[in-house]
Coordinates of all heavy atoms in Angstrom, one line a residue:
M387 N 8.7 -12.0 77.2 CA 8.8 -13.2 76.5 C 7.7 -13.4 75.4 O 8.0 -13.8 74.3 CB 8.9 -14.4 77.4 CG 9.1 -15.7 76.8 SD 9.7 -16.8 78.0 CE 9.5 -18.3 77.4
W388 N 6.5 -13.2 75.9 CA 5.4 -13.2 74.9 C 5.5 -12.2 73.9 O 5.2 -12.4 72.7 CB 4.0 -13.1 75.7 CG 3.7 -14.3 76.4 CD1 3.9 -14.6 77.7 CD2 3.0 -15.4 75.8 NE1 3.4 -15.8 78.0 CE2 2.9 -16.4 76.9 CE3 2.6 -15.8 74.6 CZ2 2.3 -17.6 76.7 CZ3 2.0 -17.0 74.4 CH2 1.9 -17.9 75.4
R389 N 6.0 -11.1 74.3 CA 6.2 -9.9 73.4 C 7.2 -10.3 72.4 O 7.1 -10.0 71.2 CB 6.5 -8.7 74.2 CG 6.8 -7.5 73.3 CD 7.1 -6.3 74.1 NE 6.0 -5.5 74.1 CZ 5.9 -4.3 74.8 NH1 6.8 -4.0 75.6 NH2 4.8 -3.6 74.7
E390 N 8.3 -10.9 72.8 CA 9.4 -11.2 71.9 C 8.9 -12.3 70.9 O 9.2 -12.2 69.7 CB 10.6 -11.8 72.6 CG 11.3 -10.8 73.4 CD 12.4 -11.4 74.3 OE1 12.6 -12.6 74.3 OE2 13.0 -10.7 75.1
R391 N 8.1 -13.2 71.4 CA 7.5 -14.3 70.5 C 6.6 -13.6 69.5 O 6.5 -14.0 68.3 CB 6.8 -15.4 71.3 CG 7.8 -16.3 71.9 CD 7.0 -17.4 72.6 NE 8.0 -18.2 73.3 CZ 7.6 -19.2 74.1 NH1 6.3 -19.5 74.3 NH2 8.5 -19.9 74.7
A392 N 5.7 -12.7 69.9 CA 4.8 -12.1 69.1 C 5.5 -11.2 68.0 O 5.1 -11.2 66.8 CB 3.8 -11.2 69.9
E393 N 6.6 -10.5 68.4 CA 7.3 -9.7 67.5 C 8.0 -10.7 66.4 O 8.1 -10.4 65.2 CB 8.4 -8.9 68.2 CG 7.7 -7.7 68.9 CD 8.8 -6.9 69.6 OE1 10.0 -7.1 69.4 OE2 8.4 -6.0 70.4
A394 N 8.5 -11.8 66.9 CA 9.2 -12.7 66.0 C 8.2 -13.3 65.0 O 8.5 -13.5 63.8 CB 9.9 -13.8 66.8
A395 N 7.0 -13.7 65.5 CA 6.0 -14.2 64.7 C 5.5 -13.2 63.7 O 5.3 -13.5 62.5 CB 4.8 -14.7 65.5
S396 N 5.4 -11.9 64.1 CA 5.0 -10.8 63.2 C 6.1 -10.6 62.1 O 5.7 -10.5 61.0 CB 4.8 -9.6 64.0 OG 4.5 -8.5 63.2
T397 N 7.3 -10.6 62.6 CA 8.4 -10.5 61.6 C 8.5 -11.6 60.6 O 8.7 -11.4 59.4 CB 9.8 -10.4 62.4 OG1 9.7 -9.3 63.3 CG2 10.9 -10.1 61.4
S398 N 8.2 -12.8 61.1 CA 8.2 -14.0 60.3 C 7.1 -13.9 59.2 O 7.2 -14.2 58.1 CB 8.1 -15.2 61.1 OG 8.0 -16.4 60.3
R399 N 5.9 -13.5 59.7 CA 4.8 -13.3 58.8 C 5.0 -12.2 57.8 O 4.7 -12.3 56.6 CB 3.5 -13.0 59.6 CG 2.8 -14.2 60.1 CD 1.5 -13.7 60.8 NE 1.9 -12.9 61.9 CZ 1.4 -12.8 63.1 NH1 0.4 -13.5 63.4 NH2 1.9 -12.0 64.0
D400 N 5.6 -11.1 58.2 CA 6.0 -10.0 57.3 C 7.0 -10.5 56.2 O 6.8 -10.2 55.0 CB 6.6 -8.8 58.0 CG 5.6 -8.1 58.9 OD1 4.3 -8.3 58.7 OD2 6.0 -7.3 59.7
A401 N 7.9 -11.3 56.6 CA 8.9 -11.8 55.7 C 8.3 -12.8 54.7 O 8.5 -12.7 53.5 CB 10.1 -12.5 56.5
A402 N 7.4 -13.6 55.2 CA 6.7 -14.5 54.3 C 5.8 -13.8 53.4 O 5.7 -14.1 52.2 CB 5.8 -15.5 55.2
T403 N 5.1 -12.7 53.8 CA 4.3 -11.9 53.0 C 5.1 -11.2 51.9 O 4.8 -11.2 50.7 CB 3.5 -10.8 53.8 OG1 2.7 -11.5 54.8 CG2 2.6 -10.0 52.9
R404 N 6.3 -10.7 52.3 CA 7.2 -10.1 51.4 C 7.7 -11.1 50.3 O 7.7 -10.8 49.1 CB 8.4 -9.4 52.1 CG 8.2 -8.0 52.6 CD 9.5 -7.4 53.0 NE 10.2 -8.1 54.0 CZ 10.0 -8.0 55.3 NH1 9.1 -7.2 55.8 NH2 10.7 -8.7 56.2
D405 N 8.1 -12.3 50.8 CA 8.5 -13.3 49.8 C 7.4 -13.7 48.9 O 7.7 -13.8 47.7 CB 9.0 -14.6 50.6 CG 10.3 -14.3 51.3 OD1 11.0 -13.3 51.0 OD2 10.6 -15.2 52.2
S406 N 6.2 -13.8 49.4 CA 5.1 -14.1 48.5 C 4.8 -13.0 47.5 O 4.6 -13.3 46.3 CB 3.8 -14.3 49.4 OG 2.7 -14.6 48.6
A407 N 4.9 -11.8 48.0 CA 4.7 -10.6 47.1 C 5.8 -10.6 46.0 O 5.5 -10.3 44.8 CB 4.7 -9.3 47.8
V408 N 7.0 -10.9 46.4 CA 8.2 -10.9 45.4 C 7.9 -12.0 44.4 O 8.1 -11.8 43.2 CB 9.5 -11.1 46.2 CG1 10.6 -11.4 45.2 CG2 9.8 -9.8 47.0
Q409 N 7.5 -13.1 44.9 CA 7.2 -14.2 43.9 C 6.1 -13.9 43.0 O 6.1 -14.2 41.8 CB 6.9 -15.5 44.7 CG 8.1 -16.1 45.4 CD 7.7 -17.3 46.3 OE1 6.5 -17.6 46.5 NE2 8.7 -18.0 46.9
E410 N 5.0 -13.2 43.5 CA 3.9 -12.8 42.6 C 4.4 -11.8 41.6 O 4.0 -11.9 40.4 CB 2.8 -12.3 43.5 CG 2.0 -13.3 44.3 CD 0.9 -12.7 45.1 OE1 0.5 -11.5 44.9 OE2 0.5 -13.4 46.0
V411 N 5.2 -10.9 42.0 CA 5.7 -9.9 41.1 C 6.5 -10.6 40.0 O 6.4 -10.2 38.8 CB 6.5 -8.8 41.8 CG1 7.3 -7.9 40.8 CG2 5.6 -7.9 42.6
A412 N 7.4 -11.5 40.4 CA 8.2 -12.2 39.4 C 7.3 -13.0 38.5 O 7.6 -13.1 37.3 CB 9.2 -13.1 40.2
A413 N 6.3 -13.6 39.0 CA 5.4 -14.4 38.2 C 4.7 -13.5 37.2 O 4.5 -13.9 36.0 CB 4.3 -15.2 39.0
V414 N 4.3 -12.3 37.6 CA 3.6 -11.4 36.7 C 4.6 -10.9 35.6 O 4.2 -10.9 34.4 CB 3.0 -10.2 37.5 CG1 2.6 -9.0 36.6 CG2 1.9 -10.6 38.4
R415 N 5.8 -10.7 36.0 CA 6.8 -10.3 35.0 C 7.0 -11.4 34.0 O 7.1 -11.1 32.8 CB 8.2 -10.0 35.7 CG 8.2 -8.6 36.3 CD 9.6 -8.3 36.8 NE 9.6 -7.2 37.7 CZ 10.3 -7.1 38.8 NH1 11.1 -8.0 39.2 NH2 10.2 -6.0 39.5
D416 N 7.1 -12.6 34.5 CA 7.3 -13.8 33.6 C 6.1 -13.9 32.6 O 6.3 -14.2 31.4 CB 7.4 -15.1 34.4 CG 8.8 -15.2 35.1 OD1 9.7 -14.4 34.8 OD2 8.9 -16.0 36.0
L417 N 4.9 -13.7 33.1 CA 3.7 -13.8 32.3 C 3.7 -12.7 31.3 O 3.3 -12.9 30.1 CB 2.4 -13.8 33.2 CG 2.2 -15.0 34.0 CD1 1.0 -14.8 34.9 CD2 1.9 -16.2 33.1
R418 N 4.1 -11.5 31.7 CA 4.1 -10.4 30.7 C 5.1 -10.6 29.6 O 4.8 -10.4 28.4 CB 4.4 -9.1 31.4 CG 3.3 -8.5 32.2 CD 3.6 -7.2 32.8 NE 2.5 -6.6 33.5 CZ 2.6 -5.7 34.5 NH1 3.8 -5.3 34.9 NH2 1.5 -5.3 35.1
A419 N 6.3 -11.2 30.0 CA 7.3 -11.5 29.0 C 6.8 -12.6 28.0 O 7.0 -12.5 26.8 CB 8.5 -12.0 29.7
K420 N 6.1 -13.6 28.6 CA 5.5 -14.6 27.7 C 4.4 -14.0 26.8 O 4.4 -14.4 25.6 CB 4.9 -15.7 28.6 CG 4.4 -16.9 27.9 CD 5.5 -17.7 27.2 CE 4.9 -18.9 26.5 NZ 5.9 -19.6 25.8
V421 N 3.6 -13.1 27.3 CA 2.6 -12.5 26.5 C 3.2 -11.7 25.3 O 2.8 -11.8 24.2 CB 1.6 -11.6 27.3 CG1 0.8 -10.7 26.4 CG2 0.7 -12.4 28.2
E422 N 4.3 -11.0 25.7 CA 5.0 -10.2 24.6 C 5.6 -11.1 23.6 O 5.5 -10.9 22.4 CB 6.1 -9.4 25.3 CG 5.6 -8.1 26.0 CD 6.7 -7.3 26.6 OE1 7.9 -7.4 26.0 OE2 6.5 -6.6 27.6
Q423 N 6.2 -12.3 24.0 CA 6.7 -13.2 23.1 C 5.7 -13.8 22.2 O 5.8 -13.9 21.0 CB 7.4 -14.4 23.9 CG 8.0 -15.5 23.0 CD 8.4 -16.7 23.8 OE1 8.4 -16.6 25.0 NE2 8.8 -17.7 23.1
L424 N 4.5 -14.2 22.8 CA 3.4 -14.7 22.0 C 2.9 -13.7 21.0 O 2.5 -14.1 19.9 CB 2.3 -15.3 22.9 CG 2.7 -16.5 23.7 CD1 1.6 -16.8 24.7 CD2 2.9 -17.7 22.8
E425 N 2.8 -12.5 21.4 CA 2.3 -11.4 20.5 C 3.3 -11.2 19.3 O 2.8 -11.1 18.2 CB 2.1 -10.1 21.3 CG 0.9 -10.1 22.1 CD 0.7 -8.8 22.9 OE1 1.7 -8.0 23.0 OE2 -0.4 -8.6 23.5
K426 N 4.6 -11.3 19.6 CA 5.6 -11.2 18.5 C 5.4 -12.4 17.6 O 5.5 -12.2 16.4 CB 7.0 -11.1 19.1 CG 7.3 -9.8 19.7 CD 8.7 -9.8 20.3 CE 9.0 -8.5 21.1 NZ 10.3 -8.5 21.7
E427 N 5.3 -13.6 18.1 CA 5.1 -14.8 17.3 C 3.8 -14.7 16.5 O 3.8 -15.0 15.3 CB 5.1 -16.0 18.2 CG 6.4 -16.4 18.8 CD 6.3 -17.6 19.7 OE1 5.3 -18.3 19.7 OE2 7.3 -17.8 20.4
K428 N 2.7 -14.2 17.1 CA 1.5 -14.0 16.4 C 1.7 -13.0 15.2 O 1.2 -13.3 14.1 CB 0.4 -13.5 17.3 CG -1.0 -13.3 16.6 CD -1.9 -12.5 17.5 CE -1.4 -11.1 17.5 NZ -2.3 -10.0 17.8
D429 N 2.3 -11.9 15.5 CA 2.5 -10.9 14.4 C 3.4 -11.5 13.3 O 3.1 -11.3 12.1 CB 3.2 -9.7 15.0 CG 2.3 -8.9 15.9 OD1 1.1 -9.1 15.9 OD2 2.9 -8.0 16.7
A430 N 4.4 -12.2 13.7 CA 5.3 -12.9 12.6 C 4.4 -13.9 11.8 O 4.5 -13.9 10.6 CB 6.4 -13.6 13.3
N431 N 3.6 -14.7 12.5 CA 2.8 -15.6 11.8 C 1.7 -15.0 10.9 O 1.5 -15.4 9.8 CB 2.0 -16.5 12.8 CG 3.0 -17.5 13.5 OD1 4.0 -17.9 12.9 ND2 2.6 -18.0 14.6
M432 N 1.2 -13.8 11.3 CA 0.2 -13.1 10.5 C 0.9 -12.5 9.3 O 0.3 -12.6 8.2 CB -0.4 -12.0 11.4 CG -1.4 -12.5 12.4 SD -2.7 -13.5 11.8 CE -3.7 -12.2 11.0
R433 N 2.1 -12.0 9.5 CA 2.9 -11.5 8.3 C 3.2 -12.6 7.3 O 3.0 -12.5 6.1 CB 4.2 -10.8 8.7 CG 4.0 -9.4 9.3 CD 5.3 -8.7 9.5 NE 6.2 -9.4 10.4 CZ 6.2 -9.3 11.7 NH1 5.4 -8.5 12.3 NH2 7.1 -9.9 12.4
C434 N 3.6 -13.7 7.8 CA 3.9 -14.9 7.0 C 2.6 -15.4 6.3 O 2.6 -15.6 5.1 CB 4.4 -16.0 7.8 SG 4.8 -17.5 6.9
F435 N 1.5 -15.4 7.0 CA 0.2 -15.8 6.4 C -0.2 -14.8 5.3 O -0.6 -15.2 4.2 CB -0.9 -15.9 7.5 CG -2.2 -16.2 6.9 CD1 -2.6 -17.4 6.5 CD2 -3.2 -15.1 6.9 CE1 -3.9 -17.6 6.0 CE2 -4.4 -15.3 6.4 CZ -4.8 -16.6 5.9
A436 N 0.0 -13.6 5.6 CA -0.4 -12.5 4.6 C 0.4 -12.7 3.3 O -0.1 -12.6 2.2 CB -0.3 -11.1 5.2
T437 N 1.7 -13.0 3.5 CA 2.6 -13.1 2.4 C 2.2 -14.4 1.6 O 2.1 -14.4 0.3 CB 4.1 -13.3 2.8 OG1 4.4 -12.1 3.5 CG2 5.0 -13.5 1.7
E438 N 1.9 -15.5 2.3 CA 1.5 -16.7 1.6 C 0.2 -16.5 0.9 O 0.0 -17.0 -0.2 CB 1.4 -17.9 2.6 CG 2.8 -18.3 3.1 CD 2.7 -19.4 4.2 OE1 1.5 -19.8 4.5 OE2 3.7 -19.9 4.6
L439 N -0.7 -15.8 1.5 CA -2.0 -15.5 0.9 C -1.8 -14.7 -0.4 O -2.5 -15.0 -1.4 CB -2.9 -14.8 1.9 CG -4.4 -14.5 1.4 CD1 -5.1 -15.8 1.0 CD2 -5.1 -13.8 2.5
A440 N -1.0 -13.7 -0.3 CA -0.7 -12.8 -1.5 C -0.1 -13.7 -2.6 O -0.5 -13.5 -3.8 CB 0.2 -11.7 -1.1
D441 N 0.8 -14.5 -2.2 CA 1.5 -15.4 -3.2 C 0.4 -16.3 -3.9 O 0.4 -16.5 -5.1 CB 2.6 -16.3 -2.6 CG 3.8 -15.4 -2.2 OD1 3.9 -14.3 -2.6 OD2 4.6 -16.0 -1.5
A442 N -0.5 -16.9 -3.0 CA -1.5 -17.8 -3.6 C -2.4 -17.0 -4.5 O -2.8 -17.6 -5.5 CB -2.3 -18.4 -2.4
R443 N -2.8 -15.8 -4.1 CA -3.7 -15.0 -5.0 C -3.0 -14.7 -6.3 O -3.6 -14.8 -7.3 CB -4.1 -13.7 -4.3 CG -5.1 -13.9 -3.2 CD -5.4 -12.6 -2.5 NE -6.5 -12.8 -1.6 CZ -6.8 -12.0 -0.6 NH1 -6.1 -10.9 -0.4 NH2 -7.8 -12.2 0.2
S444 N -1.7 -14.5 -6.3 CA -1.0 -14.2 -7.5 C -1.0 -15.4 -8.4 O -1.1 -15.4 -9.6 CB 0.5 -13.8 -7.2 OG 0.5 -12.5 -6.5
E445 N -0.7 -16.6 -7.7 CA -0.7 -17.9 -8.5 C -2.1 -18.1 -9.1 O -2.2 -18.6 -10.3 CB -0.3 -19.0 -7.6 CG 1.1 -19.0 -7.2 CD 1.5 -20.1 -6.3 OE1 0.7 -21.1 -6.1 OE2 2.6 -20.0 -5.6
V446 N -3.1 -17.9 -8.4 CA -4.5 -18.1 -8.9 C -4.8 -17.1 -10.1 O -5.3 -17.5 -11.1 CB -5.6 -17.8 -7.8 CG1 -7.0 -17.7 -8.3 CG2 -5.5 -19.0 -6.8
A447 N -4.3 -15.9 -9.9 CA -4.5 -14.9 -11.0 C -3.8 -15.3 -12.2 O -4.3 -15.2 -13.3 CB -4.1 -13.5 -10.5
A448 N -2.5 -15.8 -12.0 CA -1.7 -16.2 -13.2 C -2.4 -17.5 -13.8 O -2.4 -17.6 -15.0 CB -0.3 -16.6 -12.7
G449 N -2.9 -18.3 -13.0 CA -3.6 -19.5 -13.5 C -4.8 -19.1 -14.3 O -5.1 -19.7 -15.3
K450 N -5.6 -18.2 -13.8 CA -6.8 -17.7 -14.5 C -6.4 -17.1 -15.8 O -7.0 -17.3 -16.8 CB -7.5 -16.7 -13.7 CG -8.3 -17.2 -12.5 CD -9.1 -16.1 -11.8 CE -9.9 -16.6 -10.7 NZ -10.6 -15.5 -10.0
L451 N -5.3 -16.3 -15.8 CA -4.8 -15.7 -17.1 C -4.4 -16.8 -18.1 O -4.8 -16.7 -19.3 CB -3.7 -14.8 -16.8 CG -3.2 -14.0 -18.0 CD1 -4.3 -13.1 -18.5 CD2 -2.0 -13.1 -17.5
A452 N -3.7 -17.8 -17.6 CA -3.3 -18.9 -18.5 C -4.5 -19.6 -19.0 O -4.5 -20.0 -20.2 CB -2.3 -19.8 -17.7
L453 N -5.5 -19.9 -18.2 CA -6.7 -20.5 -18.7 C -7.4 -19.7 -19.7 O -7.9 -20.2 -20.7 CB -7.6 -20.9 -17.5 CG -7.2 -22.1 -16.6 CD1 -8.1 -22.2 -15.4 CD2 -7.2 -23.3 -17.4
R454 N -7.5 -18.4 -19.4 CA -8.2 -17.5 -20.4 C -7.5 -17.6 -21.7 O -8.1 -17.7 -22.8 CB -8.1 -16.1 -19.8 CG -9.0 -15.1 -20.6 CD -9.1 -13.8 -19.9 NE -9.7 -13.9 -18.6 CZ -9.2 -13.3 -17.5 NH1 -8.1 -12.6 -17.5 NH2 -9.8 -13.5 -16.3
H455 N -6.1 -17.6 -21.7 CA -5.4 -17.6 -23.0 C -5.7 -19.0 -23.7 O -5.8 -19.0 -24.9 CB -3.9 -17.5 -22.8 CG -3.5 -16.1 -22.5 ND1 -3.8 -15.0 -23.3 CD2 -2.8 -15.5 -21.4 CE1 -3.4 -13.9 -22.7 NE2 -2.8 -14.2 -21.6
K456 N -5.7 -20.1 -22.9 CA -5.9 -21.4 -23.5 C -7.3 -21.4 -24.1 O -7.5 -22.0 -25.2 CB -5.7 -22.5 -22.4 CG -5.7 -23.9 -22.9 CD -4.6 -24.1 -23.9 CE -4.5 -25.5 -24.3 NZ -3.4 -25.7 -25.3
V457 N -8.3 -20.9 -23.4 CA -9.7 -20.9 -23.9 C -9.7 -20.1 -25.2 O -10.4 -20.5 -26.2 CB -10.7 -20.3 -22.9 CG1 -12.0 -20.0 -23.5 CG2 -10.8 -21.3 -21.7
E458 N -9.0 -18.9 -25.2 CA -9.0 -18.1 -26.5 C -8.4 -18.9 -27.6 O -8.9 -18.9 -28.8 CB -8.3 -16.8 -26.2 CG -9.0 -15.9 -25.4 CD -8.2 -14.6 -25.0 OE1 -7.0 -14.5 -25.4 OE2 -8.7 -13.8 -24.2
E459 N -7.3 -19.7 -27.3 CA -6.7 -20.5 -28.4 C -7.6 -21.6 -28.9 O -7.8 -21.8 -30.1 CB -5.4 -21.2 -27.8 CG -4.2 -20.3 -27.6 CD -3.1 -21.0 -26.9 OE1 -3.1 -22.3 -26.9 OE2 -2.2 -20.3 -26.4
L460 N -8.3 -22.2 -27.9 CA -9.3 -23.3 -28.3 C -10.4 -22.7 -29.1 O -10.9 -23.3 -30.1 CB -9.8 -24.0 -27.1 CG -8.7 -24.9 -26.4 CD1 -9.3 -25.4 -25.1 CD2 -8.3 -26.0 -27.3
L461 N -10.9 -21.5 -28.7 CA -12.0 -20.9 -29.5 C -11.5 -20.6 -30.9 O -12.3 -20.7 -31.9 CB -12.5 -19.7 -28.8 CG -13.3 -19.9 -27.5 CD1 -13.6 -18.6 -26.8 CD2 -14.6 -20.7 -27.8
E462 N -10.3 -20.1 -31.0 CA -9.8 -19.8 -32.4 C -9.6 -21.0 -33.2 O -10.0 -21.1 -34.4 CB -8.4 -19.1 -32.2 CG -7.8 -18.7 -33.6 CD -8.6 -17.8 -34.4 OE1 -9.3 -17.0 -33.9 OE2 -8.5 -17.9 -35.7
K463 N -9.2 -22.1 -32.6 CA -9.1 -23.4 -33.3 C -10.5 -23.9 -33.7 O -10.6 -24.4 -34.8 CB -8.4 -24.5 -32.5 CG -6.9 -24.3 -32.4 CD -6.2 -25.3 -31.5 CE -4.8 -25.1 -31.5 NZ -4.1 -26.1 -30.7
E464 N -11.5 -23.7 -32.9 CA -12.8 -24.0 -33.2 C -13.3 -23.2 -34.4 O -13.9 -23.8 -35.3 CB -13.8 -23.8 -32.0 CG -15.2 -24.3 -32.3 CD -16.1 -24.0 -31.1 OE1 -15.9 -23.0 -30.4 OE2 -17.0 -24.8 -30.9
R465 N -13.0 -21.9 -34.4 CA -13.4 -21.1 -35.6 C -12.7 -21.6 -36.9 O -13.4 -21.6 -37.9 CB -13.1 -19.6 -35.3 CG -14.1 -19.0 -34.4 CD -13.8 -17.5 -34.3 NE -12.6 -17.1 -33.6 CZ -12.5 -16.9 -32.3 NH1 -13.6 -17.1 -31.5 NH2 -11.4 -16.6 -31.7
Q466 N -11.5 -21.9 -36.7 CA -10.7 -22.4 -37.9 C -11.3 -23.7 -38.4 O -11.4 -24.0 -39.6 CB -9.3 -22.6 -37.6 CG -8.5 -21.3 -37.4 CD -7.1 -21.5 -36.9 OE1 -6.7 -22.7 -36.6 NE2 -6.3 -20.4 -36.7
M467 N -11.7 -24.6 -37.5 CA -12.3 -25.9 -37.9 C -13.7 -25.7 -38.5 O -14.0 -26.3 -39.5 CB -12.5 -26.8 -36.6 CG -11.2 -27.4 -36.1 SD -10.3 -28.4 -37.2 CE -11.4 -29.8 -37.3
E468 N -14.5 -24.7 -38.0 CA -15.7 -24.4 -38.7 C -15.5 -23.9 -40.1 O -16.2 -24.3 -41.0 CB -16.5 -23.3 -37.9 CG -17.1 -23.9 -36.6 CD -17.7 -22.8 -35.7 OE1 -17.7 -21.6 -36.1 OE2 -18.1 -23.1 -34.6
K469 N -14.5 -23.0 -40.3 CA -14.2 -22.5 -41.6 C -13.7 -23.7 -42.5 O -14.1 -23.8 -43.7 CB -13.0 -21.5 -41.6 CG -13.5 -20.1 -41.0 CD -12.3 -19.2 -41.0 CE -12.7 -17.8 -40.4 NZ -11.5 -16.9 -40.4
L470 N -12.9 -24.6 -42.0 CA -12.5 -25.7 -42.7 C -13.6 -26.6 -43.1 O -13.7 -27.0 -44.3 CB -11.5 -26.5 -41.9 CG -10.8 -27.7 -42.6 CD1 -10.1 -27.3 -43.8 CD2 -9.9 -28.5 -41.6
H471 N -14.6 -26.9 -42.2 CA -15.8 -27.6 -42.5 C -16.6 -27.0 -43.6 O -17.1 -27.6 -44.5 CB -16.6 -27.9 -41.3 CG -16.1 -28.9 -40.4 ND1 -16.1 -30.3 -40.7 CD2 -15.4 -28.8 -39.2 CE1 -15.5 -30.9 -39.7 NE2 -15.1 -30.1 -38.8
Q472 N -16.7 -25.6 -43.5 CA -17.5 -24.9 -44.5 C -16.8 -25.0 -45.9 O -17.4 -25.2 -46.9 CB -17.6 -23.4 -44.1 CG -18.5 -22.6 -45.1 CD -19.9 -23.1 -45.1 OE1 -20.5 -23.4 -44.0 NE2 -20.5 -23.2 -46.3
T473 N -15.5 -24.9 -45.9 CA -14.7 -25.1 -47.2 C -14.9 -26.5 -47.7 O -15.1 -26.6 -49.0 CB -13.2 -24.8 -46.9 OG1 -13.0 -23.5 -46.4 CG2 -12.4 -24.9 -48.2
V474 N -14.9 -27.5 -46.9 CA -15.1 -28.9 -47.3 C -16.5 -29.0 -47.9 O -16.7 -29.6 -49.0 CB -14.8 -29.9 -46.2 CG1 -15.3 -31.3 -46.6 CG2 -13.3 -29.9 -45.8
D475 N -17.5 -28.4 -47.2 CA -18.9 -28.5 -47.7 C -19.0 -27.8 -49.1 O -19.6 -28.3 -50.0 CB -19.8 -27.9 -46.7 CG -20.0 -28.7 -45.4 OD1 -19.6 -29.9 -45.4 OD2 -20.5 -28.1 -44.4
N476 N -18.3 -26.6 -49.2 CA -18.4 -25.9 -50.5 C -17.7 -26.7 -51.6 O -18.2 -26.8 -52.7 CB -17.7 -24.6 -50.3 CG -18.5 -23.6 -49.5 OD1 -19.7 -23.8 -49.2 ND2 -17.8 -22.5 -49.0
L477 N -16.6 -27.4 -51.3 CA -15.9 -28.2 -52.3 C -16.7 -29.4 -52.7 O -16.8 -29.8 -53.9 CB -14.5 -28.7 -51.8 CG -13.4 -27.6 -51.8 CD1 -12.2 -28.1 -51.1 CD2 -13.1 -27.2 -53.2
Q478 N -17.4 -30.0 -51.7 CA -18.3 -31.1 -52.0 C -19.4 -30.7 -52.9 O -19.8 -31.4 -53.9 CB -18.8 -31.8 -50.7 CG -17.8 -32.6 -50.0 CD -18.3 -33.1 -48.7 OE1 -19.3 -32.7 -48.1 NE2 -17.6 -34.1 -48.1
E479 N -20.0 -29.6 -52.6 CA -21.1 -29.0 -53.5 C -20.6 -28.8 -54.9 O -21.2 -29.1 -55.9 CB -21.7 -27.8 -52.9 CG -22.6 -28.0 -51.7 CD -23.1 -26.7 -51.2 OE1 -23.4 -25.7 -52.0 OE2 -23.3 -26.6 -49.9
F480 N -19.4 -28.2 -55.0 CA -18.8 -27.9 -56.3 C -18.5 -29.2 -57.1 O -18.8 -29.2 -58.3 CB -17.5 -27.1 -56.1 CG -16.7 -26.9 -57.3 CD1 -17.2 -25.8 -58.2 CD2 -15.6 -27.6 -57.7 CE1 -16.5 -25.6 -59.4 CE2 -15.0 -27.3 -58.9 CZ -15.4 -26.3 -59.7
V481 N -18.1 -30.2 -56.4 CA -17.8 -31.5 -57.0 C -19.1 -32.1 -57.5 O -19.2 -32.6 -58.7 CB -17.0 -32.5 -56.1 CG1 -17.0 -33.9 -56.7 CG2 -15.6 -32.0 -55.9
V482 N -20.1 -32.0 -56.7 CA -21.4 -32.6 -57.1 C -22.0 -31.8 -58.2 O -22.5 -32.4 -59.2 CB -22.4 -32.6 -55.9 CG1 -23.8 -32.9 -56.3 CG2 -21.9 -33.6 -54.8
D483 N -22.0 -30.5 -58.2 CA -22.5 -29.6 -59.3 C -21.7 -29.9 -60.6 O -22.3 -30.0 -61.6 CB -22.4 -28.2 -58.9 CG -23.4 -27.8 -57.8 OD1 -24.4 -28.5 -57.6 OD2 -23.3 -26.7 -57.2
S484 N -20.4 -30.0 -60.4 CA -19.5 -30.3 -61.6 C -19.9 -31.6 -62.2 O -19.9 -31.8 -63.4 CB -18.0 -30.3 -61.2 OG -17.6 -29.0 -60.9
A485 N -20.1 -32.6 -61.4 CA -20.5 -34.0 -61.8 C -21.8 -33.9 -62.6 O -22.0 -34.6 -63.6 CB -20.5 -34.9 -60.7
K486 N -22.7 -33.1 -62.1 CA -24.1 -33.0 -62.7 C -23.9 -32.4 -64.1 O -24.7 -32.7 -65.0 CB -25.0 -32.2 -61.8 CG -25.4 -33.0 -60.6 CD -26.4 -32.1 -59.8 CE -26.8 -32.8 -58.5 NZ -27.7 -32.0 -57.7
R487 N -23.1 -31.4 -64.2 CA -22.9 -30.7 -65.5 C -22.2 -31.5 -66.5 O -22.4 -31.3 -67.7 CB -22.1 -29.4 -65.3 CG -22.9 -28.4 -64.5 CD -22.1 -27.0 -64.5 NE -22.4 -26.4 -63.3 CZ -21.6 -25.6 -62.6 NH1 -20.4 -25.4 -63.1 NH2 -22.0 -25.0 -61.5
S488 N -21.4 -32.5 -66.1 CA -20.7 -33.3 -67.1 C -21.5 -34.3 -67.7 O -22.4 -34.8 -67.7 CB -19.5 -34.0 -66.4 OG -18.7 -33.2 -65.7

């Protein structure tokens, strides 16, 4: 009788140990699947970030180019204004000189 009880208890412990091991294996599988899923999400997010970063860099480069062209236009207008001022100064001198001669 003691022997039967001991064998039953041993069998019960073995079954509990097996159940626990099966649960642990299932938990490990679940965790591995979750890690794989998170790694895929991370990779997708990194690709998306890289694309957005490249787009932003392109926009910045285009903005810099547009600003450079605008600065060149403004510098050309400034040169034209300087020439115009010089022409006006020359005309004023001519008018004054002409008035003195008359």
